[in-house]
Amino acid sequence: MIIVMAPHSTEEEFQAVIERIQLLGYRAHVIRGVERTVIGAVGHEDKSHLPIIEQMKGVEAVIPILKPFKLASAEWKQQRTTVRVGDVVIGGDEIVIIAGPGVVESEAQVLAAAEAVRAAGAKLFRGCVYSYYMSPYTQTEFDPEKLSLLRRVREETGLPVVTEVFSAKDLDAIAQTADMIQIGARNSQNFSLLRLVGRLRKPVFLKRGMSLTIREFIMAAEYILSEGNSEVVLCERGIRTFESETPFSLDLNAVPVIKGQCHLPVFVDPSHGTGRRHLVAAMARAAVAAGADGLMIEVHPHPDQAVLDGAQSLRPEQFADLMPQLRRIAEAVGRKI
Ligand code: PEP
Ligand code: MN
């Protein structure tokens, strides 16, 4: 619930409210404005608690938050959140493009990819340093050496780097290099890992699990926020449906639905969302038109030789052709790239 203190309420009245809500099992988040103090009581909301607080001295209003998520909700925070990664601001007027290969393979591969995407206008570089998907026979183990290739990319191109953590044991090492830490679709309900990244002071790029409802997805973000890390970027990456022409169905509804309920920036990943290179551009254009705050696109210098996700990776020249189209659409919807 959100508790609005009356303009002339006293410090004692404020303290009494804080003590009472803590007694009732809530955590207090205080926002002191010029005119008013607002207290967010975060916890499992019990309707019977509202009148108790409402009747306390100095309280002007108590507004329940009806959604199961609190800190992530648009009721809790009216202004949209911006997340800074290096010099890049996510969630502002500018639509931010993150691009790079599925996985980091070699120095030549990452540097070629990074130079190409930077020249075309990408603002962040992506690349997993290991992968734990699909099959125990194809997974690759965490290799800290691969992180040094990401640092090289950053030094050479100035692009901040985004990379995925699959397991808590690798988090420290990854957090030391990554400018933003990705939690992939398959870990989006790994609540202990979400809590751990919630304790970092580092942006988190959270992808939607392929069978998560929008509400469950925002609840996953709530886990991170509830530990104190408010720098969270959400990413729609396709969900599982009965459709079999593509491995996943990109749920573009999620963009305006989430933005209506939640103040966090929302990205779209048209690469995993379609699984097919020839479909990526169309869905990237549609995502910008739908109001996405950014896109994550897989680009590989030689997709046919990629160890993972080659079929959905754009060639550098395809990415370079796409960017001006995205710029025109961004302008049409009052944004820029
Ligand atoms: C990725 O970004 O490379 C990836 C594997 O994404 P997802 O977790 O959405 O499948
Ligand atoms: Mn991938």
Side-chain angles (χ1 to χ4, degrees):
M1 69 190 101
I2 295 168
I3 302 154
V4 183
M5 299 301 291
H8 300 295
S9 54
T10 65
E11 186 60 27
E12 289 70 44
E13 288 164 349
F14 164 78
Q15 286 304 338
V17 173
I18 297 279
E19 274 165 38
R20 182 67 60 88
I21 59 173
Q22 285 172 346
L23 221 75
L24 293 172
Y26 298 88
R27 270 197 273 169
H29 290 252
V30 179
I31 307 163
R32 284 187 193 268
V34 189
E35 303 217 332
R36 268 163 229 267
T37 298
V38 172
I39 305 166
V42 180
H44 181 65
E45 220 157 283
D46 180 334
K47 276 198 200 94
S48 68
H49 294 162
L50 261 76
I52 302 178
I53 308 293
E54 235 159 22
Q55 286 157 31
M56 291 185 75
K57 274 211 182 118
V59 171
E60 183 173 276
V62 181
I63 305 150
I65 301 179
L66 301 172
K67 300 273 183 330
F69 43 87
K70 312 290 174 195
L71 301 173
S73 77
E75 287 127 302
W76 168 259
K77 184 166 175 244
Q78 268 104 46
Q79 320 92 291
R80 302 214 59 81
T81 288
T82 55
V83 174
R84 185 178 275 276
V85 186
D87 290 336
V88 181
V89 176
I90 291 175
D93 283 348
E94 196 168 332
I95 295 173
V96 172
I97 310 297
I98 304 175
V103 289
V104 170
E105 296 163 17
S106 66
E107 179 168 289
Q109 175 239 14
V110 282
L111 289 179
E115 195 39 60
V117 302
R118 190 203 56 76
K123 292 288 157 59
L124 288 101
F125 184 77
R126 64 143 288 145
C128 294
V129 292
Y130 61 140
S131 63
Y132 269 24
Y133 324 114
M134 314 297 270
S135 158
Y137 309 117
T138 57
Q139 83 174 46
T140 54
E141 289 306 320
F142 175 58
D143 172 5
E145 276 302 302
K146 294 267 173 76
L147 288 173
S148 68
L149 296 181
L150 287 178
R151 293 195 292 273
R152 213 64 187 99
V153 163
R154 186 171 47 213
E155 277 160 28
E156 287 287 315
T157 62
L159 297 177
V161 296
V162 186
T163 197
E164 180 166 352
V165 63
F166 290 89
S167 169
K169 68 180 173 26
D170 314 319
L171 183 56
D172 281 350
I174 287 175
Q176 275 174 32
T177 290
D179 297 293
M180 177 153 73
I181 294 179
Q182 178 169 322
I183 300 281
R186 292 157 189 85
N187 264 321
S188 61
Q189 285 191 312
N190 181 341
F191 298 119
S192 59
L193 188 60
L194 295 175
R195 282 196 189 280
L196 286 176
V197 295
R199 289 181 201 142
L200 299 176
R201 291 296 162 262
K202 185 149 278 224
V204 178
F205 191 80
L206 176 64
K207 300 189 83 175
R208 178 181 182 183
M210 57 280 265
S211 39
L212 259 56
T213 62
I214 289 174
R215 183 167 283 209
E216 287 163 341
F217 182 29
I218 305 175
M219 278 308 274
E222 184 83 7
Y223 268 87
I224 303 173
L225 299 181
S226 73
E227 292 294 331
N229 188 350
S230 54
E231 298 185 293
V232 179
V233 178
L234 303 175
C235 181
E236 162 59 40
R237 49 79 69 211
I239 54 173
R240 194 71 95 190
T241 68
F242 54 80
E243 182 50 66
S244 57
E245 290 294 322
T246 49
F248 300 103
S249 297
L250 189 64
D251 180 16
L252 285 183
N253 289 352
V255 176
V257 171
I258 296 172
K259 291 185 82 167
Q261 302 184 12
C262 169
H263 54 81
L264 299 171
V266 182
F267 271 52
V268 170
D269 169 354
S271 305
H272 293 86
T274 59
R276 305 277 181 267
R277 186 180 311 135
H278 70 283
L279 303 175
V280 170
M283 290 298 97
R285 293 188 295 255
V288 171
D293 295 302
L295 303 177
M296 173 174 266
I297 302 179
E298 286 188 340
V299 179
H300 193 292
H302 306 287
D304 303 329
Q305 294 158 27
V307 298
L308 198 77
D309 289 343
Q312 68 193 32
S313 297
L314 294 187
R315 301 178 196 285
E317 57 277 16
Q318 292 176 309
F319 181 70
D321 284 348
L322 174 62
M323 287 296 283
Q325 300 172 16
L326 300 180
R327 283 194 189 100
R328 292 203 291 278
I329 298 167
E331 202 180 315
V333 295
R335 310 280 294 268
K336 54 181 190 222
I337 294 183

